[in-house]
Amino acid sequence: MRFTANMQQPDTLRAVLYGMSFLRKHCLVRITDGRFTLISFKESLGQSATQIWAHLELADIFSEIQIGSLDNDHINMELNLDHFVRALKSCTSSTDTVKVKLAKRGRIPYLVVSVDGPSYTSIKQEIPIKVIRENVLEGIAEPTIPNPDVSLELYRQVRSVLRICDRYRNLTKHITLAANRAGELRIAIQNDDVTVEATWTNLTLMLSGDSQEEDDESQQEVDKETLYSVVVNADELFDTLRISYASRRIIFCISDRFTLMLHVLLAGLDDHSYVSYYIPSLTL
């Protein structure tokens, strides 16, 4: 098995890995068909298990790529996110050259990250990995969810949402998110001790298929005000939103009482590279 490449976007990749690491410390890396995919979920997928799927164009992140394996040039490995982030922190300047390659010491496989700068010699860090055969992953697939009832696009508002979630998670274990097609997003908590709500308005509505198309004009007006909601773990929502520091915009997609999906478009990359968070709605 062989993989060597020069890294073109170390800061972007580090930000993605760092954002993912708040929820999980290990992830699966798949290199296949021109894609660099990062997958993170609990080993036992339950109702409350948030999944993360980061789909990055291989050519957006790497150059001078060489790939070879007995699994049709597909490479799968598991690694520790903190170790990968720490290795990429060695890159401190845009003039640094970052190279990655797979290597072995005895029978132990590693992902080697080398950073070369104009004013210092090469810094090499070895990240232990677990190589996974392609047939082992046959049961792993991205979640299938219904068409969202409402999808709202956030730009600068994401940071204020993050701050509100940080406050709310100190007051409760669960947060309710609700949105409508008038461009309104509400985040609320309600328990025996406190009831509080924050609202954002005039957000951009993203249309998706027939679910948001109505023939009757009066019905459209009713639908615009209808709220669709999910209840999620407060800490997990806050940790998920930390990816905002690597994003240029985030789309909140709500399937009523089923799933919150955050579609994160990354700074410095086109729309073909993105991260999707799937957060199931809780039944309390």
Side-chain angles (χ1 to χ4, degrees):
M1 187 171 66
R2 182 179 75 257
F3 175 65
T4 62
N6 291 339
M7 192 175 294
Q8 299 185 116
Q9 296 276 0
D11 290 341
T12 298
L13 182 57
R14 182 178 64 191
V16 171
L17 297 168
Y18 183 66
M20 294 175 63
S21 69
F22 289 103
L23 282 172
R24 309 280 185 271
K25 292 305 178 184
H26 288 81
C27 82
L28 176 66
V29 177
R30 303 194 69 182
I31 305 172
T32 174
D33 300 330
R35 304 287 280 178
F36 188 82
T37 304
L38 302 157
I39 308 168
S40 182
F41 51 73
K42 292 181 180 179
E43 290 184 6
S44 177
L45 294 179
Q47 181 194 23
S48 61
T50 296
Q51 295 193 42
I52 313 169
W53 290 71
H55 298 280
L56 309 177
E57 288 286 331
L58 199 60
D60 282 348
I61 305 296
F62 301 103
S63 64
E64 300 181 30
I65 305 163
Q66 297 184 30
I67 302 175
S69 80
L70 297 177
D71 284 325
N72 298 315
D73 293 340
H74 296 176
I75 295 175
N76 304 293
M77 62 184 120
E78 184 181 346
L79 52 75
N80 184 293
L81 287 165
D82 286 341
H83 293 169
F84 206 169
V85 170
R86 191 177 304 119
L88 293 178
K89 281 185 177 179
S90 301
C91 178
T92 58
S93 169
S94 59
T95 60
D96 289 348
T97 300
V98 183
K99 297 182 179 180
V100 295
K101 70 174 182 178
L102 290 176
K104 272 188 176 182
R105 186 188 301 152
R107 293 188 174 183
I108 301 176
Y110 292 88
L111 181 67
V112 181
V113 180
S114 303
V115 181
D116 294 285
S119 59
Y120 56 87
T121 56
S122 176
I123 300 173
K124 291 186 178 180
Q125 298 194 50
E126 297 178 340
I127 305 169
I129 64 169
K130 178 182 178 181
V131 177
I132 302 174
R133 294 296 301 269
E134 186 77 12
N135 59 359
V136 176
L137 305 177
E138 291 178 354
I140 296 178
E142 197 160 358
T144 300
I145 63 173
N147 282 337
D149 293 294
V150 62
S151 299
L152 297 178
E153 189 171 24
L154 280 71
Y155 294 88
R156 292 182 297 272
Q157 304 95 332
V158 175
R159 299 297 174 85
S160 63
V161 172
L162 180 65
R163 289 192 297 269
I164 290 295
C165 290
D166 192 19
R167 294 178 197 168
Y168 285 6
R169 72 193 182 109
N170 294 317
L171 302 173
T172 184
K173 292 182 179 180
H174 305 106
I175 289 178
T176 299
L177 288 91
N180 61 31
R181 298 175 190 174
E184 182 177 338
L185 173 68
R186 301 179 188 178
I187 297 181
I189 59 174
Q190 183 174 3
N191 55 40
D192 295 337
D193 300 318
V194 63
T195 298
V196 63
E197 180 179 277
T199 302
W200 292 260
T201 59
N202 299 318
L203 302 177
T204 301
L205 177 67
M206 305 295 292
L207 298 178
S208 57
D210 296 334
S211 63
Q212 297 187 18
E213 294 179 3
E214 302 286 348
D215 293 329
D216 184 78
E217 185 175 346
S218 62
Q219 185 63 41
Q220 283 185 351
E221 294 303 318
V222 172
D223 283 351
K224 284 183 179 180
E225 302 301 326
T226 300
L227 287 168
Y228 304 95
S229 65
V230 289
V231 179
V232 298
N233 180 279
D235 286 329
E236 285 209 349
L237 178 62
F238 175 75
D239 288 338
T240 296
L241 288 171
R242 295 199 199 201
I243 194 68
S244 64
Y245 294 100
S247 71
R248 51 189 169 87
R249 66 186 195 273
I250 297 179
I251 302 171
F252 282 63
C253 305
I254 293 179
S255 296
D256 191 43
R257 293 177 292 180
F258 189 80
T259 301
L260 169 67
M261 186 186 80
L262 299 184
H263 186 71
V264 182
L265 300 171
L266 300 168
L269 302 179
D270 64 25
D271 290 357
H272 293 101
S273 293
Y274 57 90
V275 183
S276 294
Y277 287 79
Y278 297 90
I279 310 175
S281 184
L282 303 174
T283 302
L284 301 182

